[in-house]
Each structure stands twice: as structure tokens, then as C-alpha cells.
Amino acid sequence: MNELCEKAYQFQNDHIVLKQILDEICSRDFLIRQEEILKLILQTLLNSNRGLPSEVENYFDNLDGIWSFDTYLALLAEPFLTQRIHLRIAKELAQYQGYRPKIINTAYHVFVH
């Protein structure tokens, strides 16, 4: 999951790579919840006039903690998220004291500052 999310984040402006990632996810018979959320975010990035599905906001609204893949998902979805969800993610990120992995540090600066 981390690898897919990290690749999507690295190439978020490259629609060809995003489409390849989306095709890979869609080719799977069964998707875990995070893969389904990544799929919805990628579909939104590739077709930005579509709007972010409510399942994505619900996902972030119900986080019990934030993992690296959640952070990548949040950064990818950030332009489409409501202010309430921004604050929810900021609250989760603010709980990290001291050492933060690089991607969480990046998200902290996007959502908290």
C-alpha cells in the first residue's frame, strides 16, 4: 500500500503514471479499503471536475491514527477535501511528537501550518 501511495504522490502531476496505477488497482479482484480510497482519489485526480466521493471524506473522518499510506492519501486528496476534513487530518498529524517520518512531516506542514 505504501509503495502505491508513494508512487502516486511522486507522480501526482503525471496522468499517464496515475492511469497506470489506477489500472493496476482496478485489475485486482479484491481491494482493501485503502486501495479503494486510492482508486477514488486517482479517479478524481484524473477527472477533477468529477468531485471527491463522500467515501474518501468518510475514510479521513474515521481515522484512529495516521499511517504513512494515509498521509500519502491525504496529500493526494488535499485539493478536494473540505475544511472540516483538513482540520480532522491536522488534528491527527499534530499528535506526532518528536520524530516524524518525512512524509508525515510534509503533511504536517500542509495541513497544520
Side-chain angles (χ1 to χ4, degrees):
M1 191 61 217
N2 272 345
E3 289 175 22
L4 283 175
C5 290
E6 183 177 1
K7 185 176 180 181
Y9 177 70
Q10 282 180 302
F11 295 97
Q12 63 187 303
N13 296 316
D14 187 334
H15 282 221
I16 293 170
V17 175
L18 293 180
K19 179 77 170 92
Q20 290 170 345
I21 296 168
L22 181 58
D23 290 345
E24 179 183 336
I25 291 171
C26 289
S27 71
R28 298 178 186 193
D29 290 333
F30 174 79
L31 296 180
I32 60 173
R33 184 161 188 240
Q34 291 84 1
E35 290 172 329
E36 183 65 38
I37 296 302
L38 177 57
K39 179 179 119 181
L40 295 171
I41 292 169
L42 290 175
Q43 288 171 336
T44 303
L45 286 170
L46 291 169
N47 187 10
S48 58
N49 61 349
R50 180 179 171 177
L52 195 65
S54 61
E55 295 94 335
V56 177
E57 294 231 351
N58 290 340
Y59 176 82
F60 291 116
D61 209 15
N62 293 304
L63 287 178
D64 291 331
I66 193 157
W67 299 89
S68 291
F69 59 80
D70 292 319
T71 306
Y72 285 117
L73 292 172
L75 287 167
L76 287 166
E78 189 269 335
F80 309 102
L81 296 172
T82 63
Q83 184 64 27
R84 185 178 66 76
I85 297 299
H86 267 258
L87 293 172
R88 173 76 170 93
I89 293 169
K91 180 181 172 187
E92 285 299 319
L93 291 167
Q95 293 181 30
Y96 279 84
Q97 300 295 323
Y99 173 77
R100 291 189 294 253
K102 183 178 178 183
I103 192 60
I104 291 180
N105 224 6
T106 299
Y108 182 86
H109 290 292
V110 169
F111 285 95
V112 178
H113 286 101

